[in-house]
Amino acid sequence: MADASERLTRLLGLVPYLTRNPGTGIATTANVFGITPAQLIDDLELLFVSGRPGHMPDDLIEANWEGDRIYVANADEVSVPVRLSSREARALLIALDYLAEVDDVEPATIARVRAKVSAAAALSPAGGAVDVRVPERPAALQAALAQARARGEGLALDYYVAARDELTHRLVTPKRLRLAGAWYLDAWCHTSRGPRTFAVSAIRGFAPAPVPEVPAGAAAGAGGPRDEGLGVALTFTPEAAWLADELETTAVDYDAAGPGTVRAQLRVHSREWLTRLLLAHGRHVLAVEPPGLAADAARIAAQAAGRVD
């Protein structure tokens, strides 16, 4: 399958190249595409049976290579090099920005490739330059992590938990900073006595602090099950989809109830907090799971409406 895919990619590049460089020699062309002359001849023979649906003589690509010179005709549909779609370009740019965060990757190389991808996307049929940036690495927190490791210390965090509208204080042994759409800190939380992942955007302050040893056999990282609180799922309209980025979610499903909608799963530690959230954004909440959780908000809203009347 890989050989077939590579050959198709080569053929899609071969026709535009020969169309723009008529009469190029077999050896020169083979060298350009990194194949042997025999492989090139095999590709040219395949072009004879390639073309538009119908497979009539005037539907097929014409390839001639008599006298060591190659000429291609009747190939207008594939005579233009394949361009990146806007979606493909964005995916490549995001991947490049992730690579840029790896310490042993040369930044200048990433910058050059990024510029080429952006330029190629601007020439695509969709038009318009494409530019995507991932969040910058939190330099101050990264320096604090390095210092804590060097000294054998941990960090004291002031961490805002949106699910219960509370500023908490955690003592952690940090493991790493991780980029997954946004920046996260993986650590062993001595306060919660388990591995935790902290959203960097919710860290309100941090300072070096002495910590006890991590329990034997415990991984100072992410992935511990979040068994505290009540599991809730909220489905938002497109207008309120941004809330999924603001809440401390455990899972997010896009287009769950139609284009642009978002179903966000989270753990709620305070029903009062959930009630306030539903009162503030209820008109943009399509569904609440479990359904009974919306009852308090509906009751308070009805009472408020009665007072107004």
Side-chain angles (χ1 to χ4, degrees):
M1 182 63 71
D3 290 343
S5 177
E6 290 175 4
R7 190 178 190 189
L8 175 60
T9 301
R10 187 170 66 243
L11 288 170
L12 289 173
L14 182 61
V15 175
Y17 174 79
L18 293 174
T19 301
R20 294 185 176 188
N21 301 278
T24 302
I26 290 178
T28 300
T29 305
N31 184 61
V32 168
F33 287 88
I35 56 177
T36 66
Q39 287 177 301
L40 176 60
I41 296 299
D42 195 35
D43 286 347
L44 293 174
E45 289 175 343
L46 179 59
L47 290 178
F48 269 127
V49 291
S50 304
R52 295 184 298 269
H55 304 291
M56 299 300 290
D58 58 349
D59 293 323
L60 303 178
I61 296 173
E62 299 174 5
N64 299 290
W65 56 93
E66 295 182 3
D68 193 47
R69 299 294 175 180
I70 309 172
Y71 297 90
V72 171
N74 200 33
D76 293 344
E77 285 82 357
V78 289
S79 62
V80 177
V82 178
R83 299 294 183 189
L84 290 171
S85 69
S86 178
R87 183 186 296 272
E88 291 168 336
R90 285 190 173 91
L92 285 173
L93 291 173
I94 290 173
L96 286 169
D97 282 343
Y98 273 72
L99 283 176
E101 298 300 334
V102 179
D103 294 336
D104 59 352
V105 175
E106 177 60 43
T109 301
I110 294 294
R112 286 196 301 271
V113 176
R114 201 179 198 287
K116 290 181 179 180
V117 172
S118 297
L123 297 175
S124 67
V130 175
D131 193 20
V132 178
R133 296 280 180 181
V134 299
E136 293 184 5
R137 181 187 291 269
L141 182 57
Q142 183 182 20
L145 259 65
Q147 184 180 48
R149 288 174 182 165
R151 297 180 176 180
E153 297 180 328
L155 291 177
L157 302 181
D158 294 327
Y159 188 71
Y160 176 69
V161 181
R164 56 179 186 263
D165 192 20
E166 178 185 355
L167 184 64
T168 63
H169 305 286
R170 312 290 186 94
L171 190 61
V172 305
T173 295
K175 180 184 178 184
R176 62 172 180 169
L177 281 170
R178 175 168 53 88
L179 184 59
W183 283 102
Y184 295 90
L185 170 65
D186 293 337
W188 176 269
C189 180
H190 297 277
T191 306
S192 300
R193 299 181 182 179
R196 291 293 184 270
T197 294
F198 300 96
V200 170
S201 61
I203 296 176
R204 300 293 185 255
F206 54 88
V211 292
E213 291 187 6
V214 176
R226 299 188 177 189
D227 54 0
E228 302 175 4
L230 176 65
V232 176
L234 304 175
T235 303
F236 298 108
T237 64
E239 292 79 6
W242 59 271
L243 283 168
D245 296 324
E246 298 294 323
L247 299 173
E248 189 177 4
T249 57
T250 57
V252 176
D253 299 315
Y254 296 96
D255 299 329
T261 62
V262 176
R263 182 176 181 270
Q265 299 180 52
L266 60 153
R267 305 207 71 82
V268 173
H269 301 264
S270 167
R271 285 178 177 259
E272 290 75 14
W273 173 87
L274 178 62
T275 298
R276 293 198 302 272
L277 177 71
L278 293 174
L279 287 172
H281 304 285
R283 65 187 183 281
H284 295 307
V285 177
L286 298 175
V288 180
E289 304 169 53
L293 293 176
D296 288 343
R299 175 177 51 80
I300 293 174
Q303 291 174 349
R307 293 192 189 99
V308 172
D309 294 341

